[in-house]
Amino acid sequence: MSEHATAADVACHASVAFVVVRDGAVTWHNDAARRLVGPHGGTWGAGDAPLELLRSVRRGAQQARVRWPSPVGGARWWQVACRSLRPADPTLLYEIVDETSHHEDVLGVRNSQWRLSRLEAMAGMGSWDWDPLDDTMHWSDALLRLFGIPEGGSPDLAAFIAMAHPEDAPMIVSTVAEALRTGEPFAYTARFRLPDHATMKIFEVYAEIVADAAGAPMRVLGAARDVTEQHRARQELAYLAEHDPLTGVANRRRVTAWLADCAERADGGALLLIDVDNFKDINDLRGHAVGDRVMRSLAHTVSARIGSDALLGRLGGDEFAVVVPFGDAENGLELGERLCDAVARTPIADAGSSLQVTISVGVADVAPGREVETSLARADLALYEAKRAGRNRARRFAPDQYHQAVRRVSLLQRVADALDSNTMELDAQPIVDLNSGATVRHELLIRLRDGLSPELGPADFLPAAERTDLVLQLDRWVLDHAVTALAAPAARAADMRLDVNVSARSLEDDELGDWILALLRRHGVEPRRLGLEITETAAVNGLDGARSLAVQLIEAGCGFALDDFGSGFGSFAYLKHLRFTAVKIGGDFVKALDADRIDRALVAAVVGVASDLGMTTVAEQVDRAALVDLLRRLGVDHGQGYHLGRPRPLGELLAGR
């Protein structure tokens, strides 16, 4: 029988390639062999790579693995067997099976597993599957690492539940049982103690049931994600949203919510406003660190004496509030007098000496249906009366205090009239690069120039305006005039940049960010030329609004600065949880910088933190040349103050005068 006849016999295996080689040349091959190389740029000619690969396979080989790099790209994988066509005949028959697809499948599985493992690790999660029939459970390597279990381990469901916090384990058991009963996907969040018995982590677990044709659960596939840090961050943000970071008591937002609740009840309540007497003197003479200690001590003293049903909160600065549900102004006055006495009898230690602090208290009832702002205004009038009467005492709101309210309303009307008659003006104060001496921005300062007596400065009318919606109108008026000024040809040519202060009340305006960006678009002004500033008090009273506004404006390109940084040391908490582009160091830390090493250390610390967070630093109240050199050495970027440039009307700045 000829070699061709023998080859014809084996050629019936159409899916297997057969090649006959004699004296180093191919004498015959079947169609499968042609298809094995032809589509991939190869032939069985003498000297071609496919034939050379076959010649490397020894006679008698059964499963030799061969890799052929295709001329058109990629690689082909063959399994080759080699035998003599007839005994004692040098003619060889090669049987070739194409295993490329199988090899790629295996490699793909390995790559897929590797990719899954990396993705799980990057996402802080891992996967698992559980067979409820034999109670076997398989954990991915990433999940084992998250739970601190050595590689190769595979705890069963009981061991998994045993790691859960005792308070969470029953919930897990009932959740899984319900899912097995209904066949519905399930999810839960639970605490788990790792095998080291010291580490507690929080995991979000998601899973779905795989059922057989009859609907019976046959497998549970799931994933677990480590959310410990996210949970901790949410807790911190939730705490900051309702608490004052310096004292730990409630913030203004929570106080006003309690007042609203009291006003909805038939028995109402009482409101006490508390203000530290001469607190500015304490800060000026003893420093902000002592001022902060006073705030914390006062919060501790008052909290211990108001009862568990009442709420103590800090409204900002040195002003506190106590909300007493179910009480009235008479009971509130008695409590206020007791608090005055307790605070006066509690000295505060300060560097070997004791500091005597007193408070003044204003009391008003929270009548059913009364607006929160009305209750606050009445208590504030009573507080003013306590201050006027000599401090260190409590007073309740009385109708004859209404005349003071009338004066305040008159002041606010004067401000409103100034806006309508365009007698409200803006001054611009330069912010200077301390290294180059160039002016980089201007801060806008509002001024009332209506020609009436007495003359009013911002300190005279802004506190009153911030208690009403008039401050919202003021903020938008300033922003509108700022953007209009930036659109002026002279301002465009000079690439002028302006910063605007925004009140705490405006941070509660959900539409402010959209309004600002629409204003910039309408005037064709680049967002980078407008910056906003908020004080620490504003951040305290409007944390959620500040966070939302900062993200929106910074992403659009605007500046967003924390003004008066360090005034309460709670500022560092806001640098952690709020986005800023700049930090303005309060003048109280700057004005004695060349004489006070503590101030220098504090400024250096602020510069270090701001630098790490990618924020620019601005020193306020720079009033002499010696401060410029010192601030420059400390690494402060910019400065603002009378030595660097006094405020002047914005119109003069635009006119180049």
Side-chain angles (χ1 to χ4, degrees), residues 425-431 441-447 458 462 474-486 496-502 529-533 563 584 620 640 647-651 653-654:
E425 296 182 5
L426 293 173
D427 284 356
Q429 185 174 24
I431 298 174
R441 309 183 74 87
H442 287 81
E443 179 182 355
L444 294 184
L445 307 171
I446 194 166
R447 298 289 186 261
L462 284 180
L474 273 172
D475 283 348
R476 292 205 178 199
W477 183 89
V478 175
L479 285 163
D480 182 71
H481 279 67
V483 175
T484 301
L486 290 172
M496 183 182 296
R497 305 181 184 202
L498 299 176
D499 289 348
V500 174
N501 289 281
V502 176
R529 297 173 59 206
L530 177 69
L532 269 67
E533 297 182 9
D563 195 11
K584 302 190 75 172
E620 299 181 292
Q640 180 180 3
R648 58 173 172 151
L650 178 59
L653 179 66
L654 292 173

